[in-house]
Amino acid sequence: MSHEIEVRSIAVGPLEANCYILKCDEKGSAVIIDPGDEADRLAHTIKEAGLKPEAILLTHGHIDHANAAGALKDSFGCPIYIHRGDRDIVERGESPVLWGLVRNHCAVDKEIADGDEIAVGDIKFAVLHAPGHTSGSVCYRVGSLLFTGDVLFRGSIGRTDLPGGSDADMMQTLKTRISVLDGSTLVYPGHGPETTIEHEKKFNPFL
Ligand SMILES: [Zn+2]
Ligand SMILES: [Zn+2]
């Protein structure tokens, strides 16, 4: 029996980073992508929906995407996944205060690499390493859904001028990892509204 994945999108914190809560099977197994802030609100939403998170997946280590990860790990007892390149930022981020936010450090449980698959319920998340915004940025692909963090937005891309960022890596990522995906791929970015690869190839100047 195939299960239609359910995606909830909640913009959290002053930078309105998108946290995605995915229901992965009929039993309510769930995944949290990028819990950046407002841990209490996210936990409440998850409990209200009767979901049981089994993994916290981080697209990268920036504070606006990762700052509630530790609190939600404590609430639900589920492991935190991140690429090695961004592990240090989450565990002992160099800047305790950034963009007006105070960093909550937390321990990472699982380091992920390009090509890994993370299975939760009936769903498999494929890891695409996508450096450029940070060295450890990844996208998570589930069938025709793609969670891009700060790599790709509707009409734009993530900045490359922060520590760990690289223009050259970003161009390479867009060319070899993003543009090659099927046009119908539905993109859930780290900020702002959803889009598709087809739409971005037509209208995004960077693609
Ligand atoms: Zn970022
Ligand atoms: Zn961001």
Side-chain angles (χ1 to χ4, degrees), residues 17 60 62 64-65 133 150 190-191:
H60 64 298
H62 281 155
D64 55 325
H65 296 258
H133 176 63
D150 286 356
H191 301 266

Side-chain angles (χ1 to χ4, degrees), residues 27-150:
K27 289 182 292 185
S29 303
V31 162
I32 308 166
I33 298 179
D34 283 0
D37 202 353
E38 304 187 53
D40 290 347
R41 178 179 164 215
L42 293 174
H44 181 77
T45 302
I46 289 163
K47 284 176 191 154
E48 282 262 300
L51 299 176
K52 300 176 220 47
E54 291 184 11
I56 295 170
L57 306 184
L58 300 178
T59 60
H60 64 298
H62 281 155
I63 194 165
D64 55 325
H65 296 258
N67 222 27
L72 290 178
K73 172 180 163 173
D74 290 346
S75 296
F76 297 106
C78 52
I80 298 173
Y81 294 71
I82 197 165
H83 189 277
R84 175 181 354 150
D86 276 24
R87 178 176 193 150
D88 270 5
I89 320 179
V90 171
E91 295 197 323
R92 51 182 159 270
E94 58 287 15
S95 25
V97 179
L98 187 63
W99 303 318
L101 299 166
V102 179
R103 170 72 78 171
N104 297 315
H105 291 121
C106 63
V108 167
D109 301 285
K110 310 213 183 215
E111 271 184 14
I112 49 171
D114 188 56
D116 283 358
E117 279 196 337
I118 301 154
V120 175
D122 302 336
I123 305 292
K124 282 200 174 88
F125 296 80
V127 175
L128 271 76
H129 186 212
H133 176 63
T134 62
S135 64
S137 282
V138 302
C139 299
Y140 295 101
R141 191 176 61 75
V142 185
S144 61
L145 314 183
L146 187 72
F147 297 86
T148 58
D150 286 356

